[in-house]
């Protein structure tokens, strides 16, 4: 009878040929910069932002800037997990966190519109 401490850990399953977590993580990271530029342009073309920049009227406080910075940082770490983790579940969790934090970061400039 073997004790639970002496049982070897189950082997890590290799990625299946259909696991495209790394591809989606890289694609999501590459498309984030154009999405952030588009969100910024959409914000600048809004009537409220135009009046705020031109006349100093209707200026509203959006989401704080630190939220954007923290989202970018957490998203970068999640990207590294999604690309480099040996286990499929860890990569999938990293991808989910990456996409959620990128979405949060995109909400910050849009909240100023």
């Amino acid at each position: 009878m073997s004790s639970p401490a002496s049982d070897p850990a189950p082997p890590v399953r290799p990625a299946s040929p259909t696991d495209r977590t790394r591809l989606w993580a890289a694609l999501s990271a590459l498309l984030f910069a154009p999405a952030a530029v588009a969100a910024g342009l959409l914000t600048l073309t809004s009537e409220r932002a135009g009046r705020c920049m031109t006349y100093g009227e209707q200026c509203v406080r959006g989401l704080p800037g630190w939220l954007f910075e923290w989202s970018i940082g957490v998203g970068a770490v999640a990207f590294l997990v999604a690309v480099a983790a040996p286990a499929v579940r860890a990569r999938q969790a990293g991808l989910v966190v990456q996409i959620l934090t990128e979405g949060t970061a995109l909400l910050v400039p849009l909240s100023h519109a």
Side-chain angles (χ1 to χ4, degrees):
M1 182 186 309
S2 64
S3 67
S6 66
D7 288 340
V12 175
R13 288 186 326 187
S16 69
T18 59
D19 179 40
R20 293 193 170 97
T21 307
R22 291 180 174 125
L23 172 70
W24 285 111
L27 188 62
S28 175
L30 287 174
L31 291 177
F32 176 72
V37 170
L41 288 175
L42 281 174
T43 299
L44 291 176
T45 59
S46 72
E47 182 181 348
R48 184 182 305 163
R51 291 192 70 78
C52 180
M53 289 178 61
T54 306
Y55 304 112
E57 300 172 352
Q58 296 182 357
C59 297
V60 295
R61 302 282 279 164
L63 294 172
W66 62 264
L67 183 61
F68 182 81
E69 296 162 1
W70 275 90
S71 295
I72 295 295
V74 172
V77 170
F79 169 72
L80 291 176
V81 170
V83 171
V88 175
R89 287 213 180 242
R91 284 198 309 269
Q92 291 171 344
L95 178 61
V96 168
V97 171
Q98 177 189 356
I99 291 172
L100 289 175
T101 56
E102 287 177 355
T104 302
L106 291 175
L107 286 176
V108 173
L110 290 175
S111 70
H112 293 279

XYZ file of all heavy atoms in Angstrom:
818
model
N 0.860 -1.155 0.000
C 0.000 0.000 0.000
C 0.912 1.225 0.000
O 1.814 1.360 0.807
C -0.891 0.002 1.238
C -1.795 1.168 1.189
S -2.847 1.486 2.609
C -3.676 0.042 3.010
N 0.651 2.144 -0.874
C 1.490 3.343 -0.945
C 0.780 4.496 -0.257
O -0.438 4.593 -0.248
C 1.780 3.703 -2.398
O 0.587 4.030 -3.053
N 1.566 5.362 0.317
C 0.995 6.534 0.994
C 0.765 7.639 -0.033
O 1.409 7.670 -1.082
C 1.937 7.018 2.087
O 3.113 7.514 1.506
N -0.161 8.559 0.270
C -0.447 9.629 -0.677
C 0.765 10.504 -0.959
O 0.886 11.075 -2.029
C -1.547 10.441 0.001
C -2.133 9.551 1.039
C -1.068 8.578 1.406
N 1.694 10.605 -0.010
C 2.865 11.451 -0.215
C 3.830 10.829 -1.211
O 4.587 11.519 -1.874
C 3.556 11.712 1.106
N 3.823 9.494 -1.333
C 4.778 8.848 -2.233
C 4.217 8.634 -3.635
O 4.944 8.206 -4.514
C 5.224 7.520 -1.633
O 4.110 6.637 -1.587
N 2.923 8.899 -3.846
C 2.352 8.745 -5.179
C 2.913 9.826 -6.099
O 2.969 10.997 -5.736
C 0.827 8.875 -5.141
C 0.168 7.661 -4.490
O 0.824 6.610 -4.422
O -0.991 7.795 -4.065
N 3.325 9.416 -7.284
C 3.839 10.432 -8.209
C 2.696 11.313 -8.727
O 1.545 10.902 -8.802
C 4.459 9.613 -9.339
C 3.742 8.306 -9.295
C 3.381 8.078 -7.837
N 3.045 12.536 -9.052
C 2.050 13.466 -9.590
C 1.642 12.993 -10.977
O 2.443 12.400 -11.708
C 2.640 14.862 -9.666
N 0.395 13.221 -11.349
C -0.021 12.815 -12.690
C 0.756 13.634 -13.729
O 1.085 14.796 -13.503
C -1.512 13.152 -12.729
C -1.716 14.138 -11.646
C -0.680 13.879 -10.623
N 1.083 13.010 -14.846
C 1.863 13.730 -15.855
C 1.040 14.869 -16.475
O -0.177 14.804 -16.560
C 2.190 12.654 -16.894
C 1.118 11.630 -16.718
C 0.751 11.659 -15.259
N 1.741 15.890 -16.878
C 1.095 17.022 -17.540
C 0.759 16.589 -18.958
O 1.612 16.065 -19.679
C 2.038 18.247 -17.549
C 1.420 19.381 -18.328
C 2.365 18.665 -16.142
N -0.499 16.791 -19.330
C -0.905 16.412 -20.676
C -0.288 17.359 -21.694
O -0.318 18.574 -21.512
C -2.417 16.482 -20.828
C -3.153 15.411 -20.114
C -4.611 15.449 -20.414
N -5.081 16.833 -20.606
C -6.327 17.180 -20.746
N -7.257 16.279 -20.733
N -6.665 18.430 -20.905
N 0.256 16.854 -22.761
C 0.755 17.747 -23.802
C -0.417 18.416 -24.513
O -1.546 17.927 -24.479
C 1.526 16.821 -24.742
C 0.936 15.468 -24.516
C 0.476 15.446 -23.078
N -0.137 19.517 -25.126
C -1.187 20.251 -25.832
C -1.697 19.417 -27.002
O -0.925 18.776 -27.705
C -0.648 21.572 -26.342
N -2.988 19.435 -27.169
C -3.561 18.719 -28.294
C -3.311 19.535 -29.561
O -3.105 20.745 -29.498
C -5.058 18.508 -28.078
O -5.734 19.747 -28.149
N -3.344 18.895 -30.700
C -3.119 19.639 -31.942
C -4.188 20.705 -32.185
O -3.947 21.653 -32.914
C -3.170 18.570 -33.030
C -3.122 17.260 -32.342
C -3.487 17.474 -30.919
N -5.334 20.557 -31.545
C -6.401 21.542 -31.753
C -6.373 22.665 -30.726
O -7.202 23.565 -30.790
C -7.777 20.853 -31.700
O -7.918 20.231 -30.428
C -7.911 19.822 -32.801
N -5.443 22.620 -29.770
C -5.342 23.678 -28.773
C -4.684 24.897 -29.405
O -3.508 24.895 -29.727
C -4.529 23.204 -27.568
C -4.402 24.300 -26.528
O -5.386 25.011 -26.291
O -3.301 24.446 -25.966
N -5.473 25.945 -29.580
C -4.967 27.164 -30.213
C -4.913 28.323 -29.224
O -5.035 29.482 -29.609
C -5.859 27.512 -31.396
C -5.754 26.495 -32.506
C -6.385 27.002 -33.767
N -6.086 26.127 -34.864
C -6.884 25.169 -35.307
N -8.037 24.963 -34.713
N -6.537 24.431 -36.332
N -4.717 28.004 -27.966
C -4.687 29.028 -26.928
C -3.569 30.031 -27.182
O -3.774 31.237 -27.072
C -4.505 28.384 -25.550
O -5.495 27.380 -25.381
C -4.631 29.398 -24.446
N -2.398 29.552 -27.524
C -1.265 30.452 -27.776
C -1.537 31.355 -28.969
O -1.195 32.535 -28.958
C 0.001 29.636 -27.997
C 0.474 28.944 -26.741
C 1.731 28.137 -26.996
N 2.232 27.597 -25.746
C 2.458 26.314 -25.536
N 2.242 25.437 -26.484
N 2.913 25.910 -24.371
N -2.135 30.806 -30.003
C -2.467 31.608 -31.182
C -3.448 32.714 -30.830
O -3.257 33.884 -31.206
C -3.050 30.707 -32.279
C -3.610 31.438 -33.500
C -2.474 32.060 -34.294
C -4.425 30.492 -34.349
N -4.502 32.372 -30.084
C -5.497 33.373 -29.715
C -4.922 34.419 -28.776
O -5.279 35.596 -28.845
C -6.721 32.710 -29.087
C -7.572 32.032 -30.116
C -7.756 30.700 -30.271
C -8.338 32.663 -31.144
N -8.590 30.464 -31.337
C -8.967 31.646 -31.887
C -8.546 33.985 -31.515
C -9.777 31.918 -32.979
C -9.370 34.249 -32.603
C -9.969 33.222 -33.311
N -4.007 34.018 -27.897
C -3.370 34.976 -26.994
C -2.517 35.962 -27.777
O -2.558 37.177 -27.533
C -2.525 34.246 -25.954
N -1.744 35.465 -28.731
C -0.908 36.343 -29.543
C -1.758 37.263 -30.416
O -1.477 38.463 -30.536
C 0.039 35.514 -30.408
N -2.798 36.716 -31.004
C -3.686 37.527 -31.838
C -4.384 38.602 -31.018
O -4.489 39.763 -31.443
C -4.716 36.614 -32.517
C -5.603 37.244 -33.570
C -4.771 37.762 -34.727
C -6.609 36.235 -34.068
N -4.825 38.246 -29.837
C -5.473 39.214 -28.957
C -4.504 40.316 -28.551
O -4.865 41.496 -28.496
C -6.012 38.490 -27.723
O -6.543 39.391 -26.807
N -3.264 39.955 -28.265
C -2.265 40.959 -27.881
C -1.930 41.874 -29.059
O -1.780 43.092 -28.885
C -1.004 40.270 -27.377
N -1.825 41.309 -30.250
C -1.504 42.122 -31.426
C -2.637 43.081 -31.797
O -2.389 44.192 -32.259
C -1.179 41.231 -32.625
C 0.159 40.519 -32.579
C 0.292 39.550 -33.738
C 1.299 41.526 -32.596
N -3.866 42.656 -31.599
C -5.005 43.494 -31.965
C -5.374 44.512 -30.894
O -6.210 45.379 -31.127
C -6.216 42.612 -32.280
C -6.087 41.784 -33.547
C -7.306 40.890 -33.727
C -5.891 42.667 -34.761
N -4.742 44.420 -29.717
C -5.077 45.353 -28.648
C -4.665 46.782 -28.990
O -5.433 47.721 -28.753
C -4.440 44.935 -27.324
C -4.682 45.933 -26.234
C -5.942 46.055 -25.674
C -3.688 46.781 -25.816
C -6.195 46.992 -24.698
C -3.925 47.719 -24.832
C -5.179 47.827 -24.272
N -3.477 46.973 -29.538
C -3.004 48.331 -29.857
C -3.928 49.032 -30.860
O -4.341 50.175 -30.624
C -1.567 48.295 -30.346
N -4.294 48.404 -31.981
C -5.236 49.073 -32.884
C -6.603 49.322 -32.241
O -7.245 50.342 -32.503
C -5.371 48.118 -34.072
C -4.198 47.230 -34.003
C -3.778 47.173 -32.574
N -7.024 48.413 -31.373
C -8.309 48.610 -30.693
C -8.236 49.796 -29.736
O -9.192 50.567 -29.613
C -8.710 47.343 -29.940
N -7.101 49.958 -29.053
C -6.933 51.092 -28.142
C -6.914 52.408 -28.915
O -7.501 53.407 -28.485
C -5.657 50.932 -27.324
N -6.251 52.424 -30.068
C -6.243 53.632 -30.909
C -7.656 53.938 -31.397
O -8.099 55.098 -31.371
C -5.269 53.458 -32.092
C -5.420 54.574 -33.106
C -3.830 53.392 -31.587
N -8.376 52.921 -31.820
C -9.759 53.132 -32.282
C -10.642 53.642 -31.150
O -11.470 54.536 -31.359
C -10.323 51.825 -32.844
N -10.476 53.110 -29.948
C -11.262 53.582 -28.802
C -10.936 55.033 -28.496
O -11.828 55.839 -28.193
C -11.001 52.711 -27.581
N -9.656 55.400 -28.586
C -9.270 56.793 -28.374
C -9.849 57.720 -29.419
O -10.326 58.821 -29.101
N -9.832 57.298 -30.679
C -10.410 58.121 -31.746
C -11.922 58.248 -31.600
O -12.485 59.326 -31.841
C -10.051 57.545 -33.118
C -8.594 57.708 -33.542
C -8.343 56.984 -34.851
C -8.218 59.173 -33.643
N -12.574 57.176 -31.229
C -14.015 57.243 -31.006
C -14.349 58.221 -29.883
O -15.327 58.970 -29.964
C -14.576 55.860 -30.668
C -14.786 54.920 -31.834
C -15.195 53.540 -31.340
C -15.826 55.467 -32.784
N -13.526 58.217 -28.865
C -13.742 59.137 -27.753
C -13.559 60.572 -28.206
O -14.354 61.453 -27.863
C -12.774 58.815 -26.600
O -13.045 57.484 -26.162
C -12.943 59.764 -25.443
N -12.526 60.829 -28.987
C -12.253 62.195 -29.442
C -13.307 62.713 -30.414
O -13.496 63.924 -30.527
C -10.872 62.274 -30.080
C -9.699 62.104 -29.119
C -8.393 62.108 -29.893
C -9.709 63.201 -28.064
N -13.982 61.830 -31.113
C -14.994 62.276 -32.066
C -16.367 62.459 -31.430
O -17.292 62.895 -32.110
C -15.128 61.282 -33.235
O -15.476 59.995 -32.730
C -13.840 61.193 -34.021
N -16.484 62.157 -30.152
C -17.785 62.348 -29.514
C -18.031 63.834 -29.269
O -17.102 64.632 -29.142
C -17.858 61.585 -28.190
O -17.054 62.208 -27.223
N -19.292 64.209 -29.218
C -19.656 65.616 -29.020
C -19.172 66.120 -27.662
O -18.639 67.221 -27.551
C -21.168 65.785 -29.129
C -21.601 67.223 -28.976
C -23.104 67.396 -29.059
O -23.803 66.447 -29.450
O -23.569 68.480 -28.722
N -19.342 65.312 -26.649
C -18.950 65.725 -25.300
C -17.439 65.975 -25.218
O -16.987 66.978 -24.672
C -19.356 64.678 -24.277
C -19.060 65.126 -22.857
C -19.399 64.079 -21.835
N -20.782 63.644 -21.965
C -21.249 62.533 -21.423
N -20.458 61.752 -20.736
N -22.502 62.196 -21.567
N -16.644 65.068 -25.773
C -15.190 65.245 -25.727
C -14.761 66.437 -26.564
O -13.856 67.182 -26.181
C -14.495 63.980 -26.208
N -15.427 66.654 -27.698
C -15.109 67.820 -28.523
C -15.400 69.128 -27.806
O -14.606 70.072 -27.868
N -16.537 69.207 -27.143
C -16.886 70.426 -26.394
C -15.932 70.613 -25.213
O -15.572 71.743 -24.883
C -18.324 70.378 -25.913
C -19.334 70.484 -27.053
C -20.731 70.722 -26.565
N -20.933 72.047 -25.998
C -21.105 73.171 -26.693
N -21.058 73.125 -28.000
N -21.313 74.306 -26.086
N -15.524 69.531 -24.609
C -14.597 69.627 -23.486
C -13.239 70.152 -23.960
O -12.649 71.032 -23.335
C -14.432 68.270 -22.820
S -13.294 68.272 -21.422
N -12.748 69.632 -25.080
C -11.452 70.065 -25.586
C -11.501 71.494 -26.137
O -10.556 72.257 -25.976
C -10.974 69.103 -26.681
C -10.573 67.751 -26.153
S -10.059 66.614 -27.435
C -8.666 67.480 -28.129
N -12.612 71.870 -26.777
C -12.691 73.180 -27.417
C -13.088 74.277 -26.445
O -12.450 75.330 -26.389
C -13.714 73.129 -28.574
O -13.365 72.061 -29.446
C -13.706 74.430 -29.345
N -14.139 74.042 -25.676
C -14.692 75.099 -24.828
C -14.519 74.852 -23.330
O -14.837 75.729 -22.534
C -16.191 75.266 -25.112
C -16.491 75.536 -26.564
C -17.151 74.587 -27.329
C -16.113 76.734 -27.163
C -17.432 74.829 -28.664
C -16.387 76.973 -28.488
C -17.045 76.015 -29.245
O -17.311 76.260 -30.550
N -14.080 73.693 -22.952
C -13.953 73.374 -21.537
C -15.288 73.100 -20.882
O -15.414 73.182 -19.659
N -16.292 72.770 -21.675
C -17.640 72.482 -21.168
C -17.914 70.986 -21.237
O -17.365 70.279 -22.061
C -18.692 73.200 -22.017
C -18.564 74.697 -22.034
C -19.511 75.333 -23.045
O -20.147 74.592 -23.828
O -19.591 76.555 -23.050
N -18.808 70.541 -20.416
C -19.281 69.154 -20.396
C -18.147 68.149 -20.182
O -18.190 67.031 -20.679
C -20.033 68.808 -21.682
C -21.294 69.585 -21.889
C -22.022 69.160 -23.144
O -21.563 68.312 -23.892
N -23.184 69.759 -23.368
N -17.130 68.561 -19.477
C -16.034 67.634 -19.164
C -16.487 66.719 -18.024
O -16.967 67.189 -16.999
C -14.783 68.399 -18.750
S -14.123 69.441 -20.059
N -16.386 65.444 -18.237
C -16.790 64.474 -17.219
C -15.592 63.630 -16.836
O -14.664 63.437 -17.608
C -17.925 63.553 -17.723
C -19.174 64.341 -17.984
C -17.504 62.792 -18.952
N -15.648 63.142 -15.628
C -14.608 62.230 -15.174
C -14.994 60.823 -15.613
O -16.071 60.343 -15.294
C -14.501 62.261 -13.651
C -14.221 63.611 -13.056
C -12.822 64.040 -13.143
N -11.992 63.455 -12.103
C -10.683 63.473 -12.206
N -10.103 63.993 -13.251
N -9.954 62.965 -11.253
N -14.133 60.200 -16.350
C -14.352 58.822 -16.738
C -13.715 57.902 -15.721
O -13.454 58.282 -14.575
N -13.457 56.703 -16.139
C -12.759 55.756 -15.280
C -11.340 56.260 -15.047
O -10.755 56.908 -15.914
C -12.734 54.377 -15.931
C -14.098 53.693 -16.081
C -13.961 52.431 -16.915
C -14.667 53.363 -14.725
N -10.759 55.983 -13.895
C -9.419 56.508 -13.596
C -8.339 55.906 -14.500
O -8.444 54.765 -14.953
C -9.205 56.113 -12.138
C -10.136 54.995 -11.891
C -11.303 55.194 -12.805
N -7.302 56.680 -14.737
C -6.209 56.246 -15.601
C -5.438 55.062 -15.043
O -4.900 54.247 -15.797
N -5.378 54.952 -13.711
C -4.647 53.822 -13.137
C -5.303 52.502 -13.498
O -4.625 51.465 -13.566
C -4.495 53.956 -11.619
C -5.782 53.982 -10.857
C -6.447 55.078 -10.436
C -6.568 52.855 -10.445
N -7.599 54.718 -9.779
C -7.694 53.353 -9.774
C -6.422 51.484 -10.577
C -8.671 52.526 -9.244
C -7.403 50.651 -10.048
C -8.505 51.170 -9.383
N -6.605 52.512 -13.766
C -7.284 51.278 -14.152
C -6.757 50.790 -15.500
O -6.554 49.596 -15.708
C -8.796 51.494 -14.203
C -9.648 50.281 -14.530
C -9.462 49.190 -13.483
C -11.107 50.687 -14.623
N -6.511 51.721 -16.418
C -5.937 51.377 -17.714
C -4.546 50.770 -17.521
O -4.225 49.734 -18.098
C -5.869 52.622 -18.600
C -5.333 52.362 -19.972
C -6.142 51.852 -20.967
C -4.012 52.637 -20.280
C -5.648 51.615 -22.235
C -3.497 52.404 -21.539
C -4.323 51.896 -22.524
N -3.723 51.429 -16.709
C -2.356 50.963 -16.501
C -2.319 49.580 -15.843
O -1.547 48.705 -16.261
C -1.597 51.976 -15.656
C -1.441 53.313 -16.349
C -1.087 54.438 -15.400
O -0.940 54.179 -14.176
O -0.951 55.577 -15.875
N -3.134 49.384 -14.830
C -3.164 48.088 -14.156
C -3.713 47.001 -15.070
O -3.246 45.862 -15.043
C -3.983 48.168 -12.868
C -3.163 48.654 -11.720
C -2.989 49.941 -11.323
C -2.376 47.859 -10.842
N -2.152 49.990 -10.253
C -1.754 48.727 -9.929
C -2.139 46.498 -10.739
C -0.906 48.273 -8.930
C -1.300 46.053 -9.727
C -0.691 46.937 -8.841
N -4.694 47.343 -15.881
C -5.240 46.361 -16.818
C -4.191 45.929 -17.828
O -4.091 44.744 -18.166
C -6.460 46.929 -17.541
O -7.498 47.173 -16.641
N -3.403 46.883 -18.291
C -2.334 46.545 -19.231
C -1.308 45.628 -18.547
O -0.861 44.638 -19.129
C -1.648 47.828 -19.741
C -2.610 48.668 -20.565
C -0.406 47.496 -20.564
C -3.059 48.027 -21.831
N -0.945 45.939 -17.323
C 0.031 45.121 -16.603
C -0.458 43.708 -16.345
O 0.260 42.729 -16.599
N -1.677 43.599 -15.849
C -2.242 42.269 -15.574
C -2.436 41.507 -16.882
O -2.199 40.295 -16.959
C -3.563 42.387 -14.784
C -4.256 41.049 -14.654
C -3.298 42.989 -13.413
N -2.844 42.216 -17.930
C -3.009 41.574 -19.234
C -1.693 41.047 -19.787
O -1.652 39.981 -20.406
N -0.603 41.781 -19.565
C 0.707 41.323 -20.027
C 1.140 40.058 -19.287
O 1.656 39.112 -19.895
C 1.739 42.431 -19.843
N 0.901 40.015 -17.984
C 1.243 38.818 -17.216
C 0.360 37.647 -17.658
O 0.840 36.516 -17.824
C 1.091 39.088 -15.701
C 1.209 37.805 -14.904
C 2.120 40.108 -15.247
N -0.914 37.910 -17.883
C -1.816 36.851 -18.344
C -1.411 36.353 -19.730
O -1.514 35.155 -20.017
C -3.255 37.359 -18.368
N -0.923 37.260 -20.574
C -0.428 36.847 -21.893
C 0.754 35.891 -21.745
O 0.831 34.873 -22.440
C -0.034 38.075 -22.717
C 0.714 37.734 -23.971
C 0.079 37.147 -25.037
C 2.076 37.992 -24.075
C 0.768 36.818 -26.193
C 2.775 37.674 -25.213
C 2.120 37.086 -26.285
N 1.669 36.216 -20.849
C 2.814 35.332 -20.624
C 2.368 33.964 -20.122
O 2.923 32.936 -20.533
C 3.784 35.973 -19.639
C 4.521 37.205 -20.157
C 5.372 37.810 -19.058
C 5.355 36.859 -21.372
N 1.375 33.940 -19.259
C 0.847 32.657 -18.775
C 0.190 31.903 -19.926
O 0.393 30.696 -20.092
C -0.156 32.876 -17.622
C -0.895 31.595 -17.283
C 0.563 33.418 -16.399
N -0.579 32.610 -20.746
C -1.282 31.956 -21.851
C -0.320 31.406 -22.893
O -0.635 30.440 -23.580
C -2.242 32.942 -22.510
N 0.849 31.980 -23.003
C 1.810 31.526 -24.000
C 2.785 30.504 -23.428
O 3.146 29.550 -24.111
C 2.578 32.746 -24.580
C 3.719 32.312 -25.451
C 1.625 33.625 -25.358
N 3.204 30.681 -22.184
C 4.305 29.878 -21.657
C 3.920 28.766 -20.697
O 4.758 27.928 -20.384
C 5.307 30.801 -20.965
N 2.718 28.735 -20.202
C 2.350 27.705 -19.221
C 2.342 26.325 -19.877
O 1.891 26.172 -21.008
C 0.980 28.007 -18.629
N 2.836 25.324 -19.162
C 2.871 23.989 -19.754
C 1.497 23.296 -19.776
O 1.239 22.475 -20.640
C 3.854 23.224 -18.868
C 3.841 23.945 -17.569
C 3.516 25.371 -17.878
N 0.638 23.630 -18.844
C -0.665 22.960 -18.762
C -1.703 23.718 -19.603
O -1.733 24.942 -19.631
C -1.124 22.884 -17.318
N -2.554 22.956 -20.265
C -3.568 23.545 -21.134
C -4.543 24.404 -20.330
O -4.894 25.509 -20.738
C -4.324 22.436 -21.912
C -5.460 23.020 -22.720
C -3.366 21.679 -22.797
N -4.965 23.911 -19.173
C -5.926 24.670 -18.352
C -5.342 26.002 -17.897
O -6.041 27.007 -17.837
C -6.375 23.864 -17.155
C -7.311 22.767 -17.520
C -8.284 22.570 -16.390
N -9.192 21.517 -16.740
C -10.481 21.709 -16.872
N -10.985 22.887 -16.677
N -11.273 20.715 -17.188
N -4.071 26.030 -17.561
C -3.431 27.279 -17.136
C -3.371 28.253 -18.301
O -3.607 29.462 -18.131
C -2.034 27.004 -16.601
N -3.067 27.758 -19.490
C -3.044 28.633 -20.670
C -4.430 29.182 -20.965
O -4.597 30.349 -21.294
C -2.502 27.875 -21.878
C -1.006 27.686 -21.850
C -0.447 27.328 -23.207
N -1.116 26.229 -23.855
C -0.766 24.956 -23.743
N 0.252 24.618 -22.973
N -1.422 24.012 -24.390
N -5.444 28.341 -20.859
C -6.807 28.798 -21.106
C -7.238 29.840 -20.088
O -7.868 30.838 -20.442
C -7.766 27.610 -21.104
C -7.585 26.693 -22.296
C -8.381 25.412 -22.183
O -8.849 25.040 -21.109
N -8.523 24.702 -23.296
N -6.885 29.641 -18.830
C -7.207 30.636 -17.794
C -6.466 31.935 -18.061
O -7.039 33.023 -17.905
C -6.845 30.088 -16.416
N -5.212 31.841 -18.474
C -4.450 33.040 -18.817
C -5.077 33.793 -19.970
O -5.130 35.035 -19.965
N -5.564 33.081 -20.970
C -6.216 33.726 -22.108
C -7.496 34.445 -21.688
O -7.757 35.571 -22.117
C -6.521 32.692 -23.198
C -7.253 33.204 -24.437
C -6.425 34.269 -25.149
C -7.582 32.055 -25.371
N -8.277 33.813 -20.836
C -9.514 34.436 -20.356
C -9.198 35.726 -19.591
O -9.816 36.769 -19.823
C -10.330 33.457 -19.489
C -11.443 34.169 -18.751
C -10.875 32.329 -20.335
N -8.219 35.660 -18.707
C -7.839 36.852 -17.939
C -7.300 37.926 -18.872
O -7.601 39.113 -18.726
C -6.813 36.484 -16.844
C -6.239 37.724 -16.181
C -7.458 35.579 -15.813
N -6.504 37.529 -19.856
C -5.962 38.492 -20.817
C -7.072 39.218 -21.562
O -7.063 40.449 -21.671
C -5.050 37.777 -21.813
C -4.509 38.700 -22.886
C -3.791 37.948 -23.994
O -3.627 36.730 -23.937
N -3.369 38.676 -25.003
N -8.040 38.502 -22.053
C -9.126 39.125 -22.813
C -9.964 40.029 -21.917
O -10.357 41.135 -22.320
C -9.977 38.039 -23.512
C -9.143 37.397 -24.631
C -11.269 38.618 -24.055
C -9.783 36.199 -25.267
N -10.235 39.599 -20.698
C -11.020 40.429 -19.778
C -10.285 41.713 -19.408
O -10.891 42.790 -19.350
C -11.383 39.646 -18.526
C -12.414 38.535 -18.712
C -12.588 37.752 -17.427
C -13.736 39.113 -19.173
N -8.987 41.621 -19.167
C -8.245 42.832 -18.799
C -8.071 43.766 -19.993
O -8.088 44.985 -19.832
C -6.870 42.491 -18.200
O -6.131 41.692 -19.122
C -7.013 41.780 -16.879
N -7.932 43.225 -21.184
C -7.849 44.081 -22.363
C -9.180 44.797 -22.583
O -9.210 45.976 -22.932
C -7.466 43.268 -23.594
C -6.020 42.845 -23.594
C -5.643 41.974 -24.772
O -6.533 41.596 -25.562
O -4.451 41.658 -24.903
N -10.278 44.103 -22.368
C -11.586 44.746 -22.474
C -11.772 45.842 -21.445
O -12.307 46.919 -21.736
N -11.293 45.598 -20.229
C -11.362 46.617 -19.182
C -10.526 47.834 -19.561
O -10.955 48.975 -19.381
C -10.874 46.042 -17.840
O -11.676 44.905 -17.513
C -10.952 47.069 -16.727
N -9.338 47.595 -20.097
C -8.474 48.706 -20.507
C -9.121 49.518 -21.623
O -8.984 50.741 -21.664
C -7.114 48.175 -20.950
N -9.849 48.876 -22.513
C -10.512 49.603 -23.608
C -11.705 50.416 -23.115
O -12.094 51.397 -23.747
C -10.951 48.626 -24.702
C -9.817 47.984 -25.494
C -10.370 46.955 -26.461
C -8.998 49.023 -26.222
N -12.283 50.021 -22.000
C -13.402 50.778 -21.446
C -12.980 52.123 -20.867
O -13.784 53.054 -20.789
C -14.120 49.973 -20.377
C -14.980 48.829 -20.869
C -15.558 48.064 -19.680
C -16.086 49.323 -21.757
N -11.721 52.238 -20.464
C -11.259 53.485 -19.841
C -11.346 54.666 -20.807
O -11.969 55.676 -20.479
C -9.848 53.318 -19.238
C -9.302 54.633 -18.741
C -9.874 52.292 -18.117
N -10.766 54.611 -22.014
C -10.931 55.774 -22.897
C -12.382 55.967 -23.349
O -12.828 57.105 -23.523
C -10.014 55.484 -24.082
C -9.643 54.072 -23.999
C -9.860 53.627 -22.594
N -13.102 54.884 -23.502
C -14.501 55.026 -23.934
C -15.379 55.675 -22.855
O -16.403 56.261 -23.173
C -15.078 53.663 -24.326
C -14.514 53.050 -25.607
C -15.076 51.659 -25.811
C -14.794 53.939 -26.796
N -14.951 55.570 -21.604
C -15.756 56.163 -20.527
C -15.670 57.692 -20.522
O -16.466 58.340 -19.876
C -15.303 55.616 -19.179
O -14.018 56.112 -18.833
N -14.733 58.260 -21.255
C -14.594 59.704 -21.319
C -15.420 60.316 -22.461
O -15.432 61.530 -22.594
C -13.114 60.076 -21.501
C -12.280 59.734 -20.318
N -12.208 60.511 -19.207
C -11.478 58.647 -20.070
C -11.403 59.961 -18.319
N -10.959 58.814 -18.822
N -16.026 59.486 -23.264
C -16.784 59.996 -24.420
C -18.063 60.690 -24.010
O -18.675 60.451 -23.038
C -17.104 58.858 -25.373
